[in-house]
Amino acid sequence: VSLFMVILAHSVFQIWLYMRPCEQCVYIRFAFFCMAFGGIIAAIYPKNIGLKLVGYALAFWGTIQGIGYSLKLNKIHEAAHSDNPFGVQGCNPEPTFPFHLPLDKWSPEWFKPTGDCGYDNPIIPDGVVLSNLQKTITDFYQDGWYLWPPSHFMNMAQACLITFGICLLVLAVAAACWLLTLWRKRRSLEATERLACTGKHA
């Protein structure tokens, strides 16, 4: 799910539909990548508790970071589309990623902000000739990214917030089930050992 969201944002909305990512948008991508990386680490050898713990930690951290970025972007979006010209804060063309990772320099196409926070409508470069399908879809999103653009229903930040929230819920349930399974196995092992000891004494 995380990789799908990143590829959708980059390959479809940024490259094909010319929606430029803002600072908070690239942070959201980073959060999705952290979740995906956590899943990959855990999948290397699922029976290894250490790898699984690292995978869960990365996934939970990425999800919580993503929720924070989405909330901030939604606040900026609401301010940008209100009558308050001073309400837009927290949008910088020079991103600062966690741990000071220079992702915007390592991979500018994926992590360098080129758009303004709160404004995610398509910006078609001069001289670009759109296909009929591209023109139809860019016209559909001319007022910005919404789940249903004609009615301005649910902006991108809100959609990402819901996605991160669902991922957090699924992660929590999966982690709880895994811990419960470990606890039951330990109880079963202890019971088996007690029976073995009782048999020897008898």
Side-chain angles (χ1 to χ4, degrees):
V1 170
S2 300
L3 288 176
F4 171 77
M5 293 295 287
V6 172
I7 292 169
L8 180 70
H10 174 264
S11 300
V12 177
F13 291 112
Q14 178 181 336
I15 302 299
W16 196 58
L17 298 178
Y18 301 99
M19 295 181 181
R20 298 178 182 178
C22 66
E23 182 192 16
Q24 299 303 318
C25 298
V26 296
Y27 292 158
I28 288 172
R29 286 185 188 182
F30 171 74
F32 275 124
F33 266 119
C34 287
M35 292 167 60
F37 192 54
I40 290 168
I41 289 175
I44 291 172
Y45 186 55
K47 292 183 179 180
N48 186 298
I49 292 178
L51 288 177
K52 189 167 278 192
L53 286 172
V54 171
Y56 266 121
L58 259 177
F60 272 113
W61 184 79
T63 307
I64 292 166
Q65 289 285 342
I67 288 172
Y69 297 141
S70 299
L71 286 169
K72 188 169 186 178
L73 181 57
N74 186 57
K75 186 176 179 181
I76 293 171
H77 186 277
E78 288 178 352
H81 294 270
S82 70
D83 296 328
N84 181 9
F86 304 104
V88 182
Q89 297 177 357
C91 194
N92 194 322
E94 296 296 328
T96 303
F97 290 95
F99 314 111
H100 299 286
L101 293 171
L103 298 178
D104 55 317
K105 294 177 177 60
W106 289 347
S107 184
E109 186 175 293
W110 287 82
F111 293 108
K112 185 170 181 59
T114 54
D116 296 323
C117 295
Y119 297 97
D120 42 21
N121 52 303
I123 300 175
I124 315 298
D126 293 336
V128 170
V129 179
L130 301 176
S131 67
N132 290 335
L133 182 58
Q134 277 178 299
K135 186 170 188 329
T136 300
I137 299 176
T138 52
D139 287 346
F140 190 61
Y141 285 107
Q142 64 180 341
D143 292 332
W145 194 102
Y146 293 92
L147 194 60
W148 183 247
S151 60
H152 289 191
F153 172 71
M154 194 181 297
N155 63 45
M156 186 190 70
Q158 293 165 343
C160 287
L161 181 61
I162 290 173
T163 304
F164 281 119
I166 292 171
C167 288
L168 181 61
L169 179 62
V170 171
L171 276 171
V173 170
C177 290
W178 175 56
L179 291 173
L180 181 61
T181 301
L182 286 179
W183 179 75
R184 284 180 173 173
K185 283 182 179 178
R186 184 173 179 180
R187 289 288 301 272
S188 177
L189 184 61
E190 288 173 352
T192 303
E193 289 175 351
R194 279 197 301 270
L195 283 172
C197 290
T198 305
K200 285 179 181 178
H201 289 307

